[in-house]
Amino acid sequence: MFSLMANCCNWLKRWQEPVRKVTLIMVGLDNAGKTATVRGIQGESPEDVAPTVGFSKIDLKQGRFEVTIFDLGGGKRIRNIWRNYYAESYGVIFVVDSSDIERMEETKQAMIEVLNSPKISGKPMLVLANKQDREGALSEADVIESLSLEKLVNEHKCLCQIEPCSAVMGCGKKIDKSIKNGLYWLLHIIAKDFDALNERIQRDTTEQKAYEEQKKQERAERVRRLREEREREEGRGVPDEADFGPGNCENPFQPIATVISENEKQIEKEKKRQRLETERATVVLKSPTGQEQMDVEHLSRSSSQQTNDYRLDTCKSTQQLQNEEESEQQASECLDSDNSKKKKKTKLKRGHRVEPVNSEDTVPQNPTPPPPLPPVGWGTPKVTRLRKLEPLGETHHAGV
Ligand code: GDP
């Protein structure tokens, strides 16, 4: 009767206890059986699980506890991330593959690393000596010996319990009783010393957050400095306008905006040139000589080339245009004297015309122009269009 009443009191006491949130970490080498264990606890089939690569998190309710378990990947290269979870952890579940005797030393080293952390030392640790169903698996005592477990936990003042188990034996309610018992033990120890543990965890997590924040700021500062440096270098890389002069080499690494605007200018220039060339084709001063024909061909070739590489040809083309302009002026002066009645045609601006460099040859040698012919179209031989162009010289001069 007395014990019944005591049990009732205990139950009532527990019922009144607040819900406690507890975080645990599950660590151990890769392939030890961590994910299989976690899945078994969750009630999922522990069969056919792949080794944990990053980490997974499970939440479960156990009596008055809301438990979060971080299943952390055990690969050699990612074991470093374990320490990021130490501060918030109330206890540790260390899973050992009891059948993998060759990796016992590696397991021991991993365990020492964990216990050495000041954020873990003093906290309870459950060791699951897993894969007991396998032939040749080390017994509980052998695992304790292989890992020098007693020595280790005493050194780090960690309360410890070892449970020989098999994660693949069942899941949910049928889960290996040893796993269940081990989990109860861990939560019981945490509950016994919950307030002190909780206070420590709050302090440690605040510290950790401050440390992470500081690291974050340092990283941001490093990135900012690097960016500034790069921008400064890029700023130096952009040439002055003077650098674009003939003979100067351009920096091949220019900001894209500069290149685009440059190209647009060149395209505009090219279009103008092509327009003038077309106009010129319709109003050639005289039948082109062989040299002229070649020059025209050369120009149109260079025009198409310019489309691909404007910047290379800029200086050359500009100079050529100037020369041709001069030649054109001379030619028009000669023509003006003979053709005063064709002043009306003001459409063509001969100042922009592109003529062969040796354009003196383009001035008609014969001062007498051929007899006037009716207006002609595109297909008309160029000679017949000579008279149509003649007044333009004067127009050009008038403009000047
Ligand atoms: P983790 O890398 O520690 O998460 O290991 P896993 O849980 O992914 O398990 C690795 C392999 O071991 C899987 O093929 C599991 O099926 C298998 N395994 C896990 N626990 C046991 C066990 O108790 N007995 C046997 N025989 N195999 C297990």
Side-chain angles (χ1 to χ4, degrees), residues 320-377:
Q320 215 168 353
L321 277 167
Q322 277 169 359
N323 288 342
E324 285 155 4
E325 202 175 325
E326 281 167 18
S327 319
E328 189 65 28
Q329 255 179 310
Q330 285 172 9
S332 58
E333 272 168 17
C334 292
L335 290 166
D336 282 347
S337 56
D338 294 324
N339 304 284
S340 54
K341 60 177 175 181
K342 287 163 194 165
K343 282 175 189 171
K344 283 178 219 161
K345 289 219 170 185
T346 53
K347 263 200 288 185
L348 292 178
K349 285 189 180 173
R350 297 174 71 192
H352 294 290
R353 272 185 50 190
V354 179
E355 283 287 329
V357 180
N358 54 345
S359 57
E360 297 91 64
D361 298 343
T362 61
V363 181
Q365 297 301 311
N366 183 4
T368 325
L373 283 170
V376 286

Side-chain angles (χ1 to χ4, degrees), residues 29 31-36 49-52 130-131 133-134 166-168:
L29 301 192
N31 209 47
K34 297 182 291 295
T35 309
V49 290
T52 316
N130 195 30
K131 302 200 186 180
D133 58 301
R134 283 211 175 155
S166 173
V168 291

Side-chain angles (χ1 to χ4, degrees), residues 26-39 46-53 71-75 95-97 99 129-135 165-169 176 179:
M26 184 173 278
V27 290
L29 301 192
D30 47 302
N31 209 47
K34 297 182 291 295
T35 309
T37 307
V38 157
R39 286 180 72 156
E47 306 277 354
D48 304 326
V49 290
T52 316
V53 178
D71 167 17
L72 304 177
V95 184
V96 180
D97 181 351
S99 66
N130 195 30
K131 302 200 186 180
Q132 289 295 320
D133 58 301
R134 283 211 175 155
E135 217 173 294
C165 63
S166 173
V168 291
M169 253 173 61
D176 188 339
I179 298 176

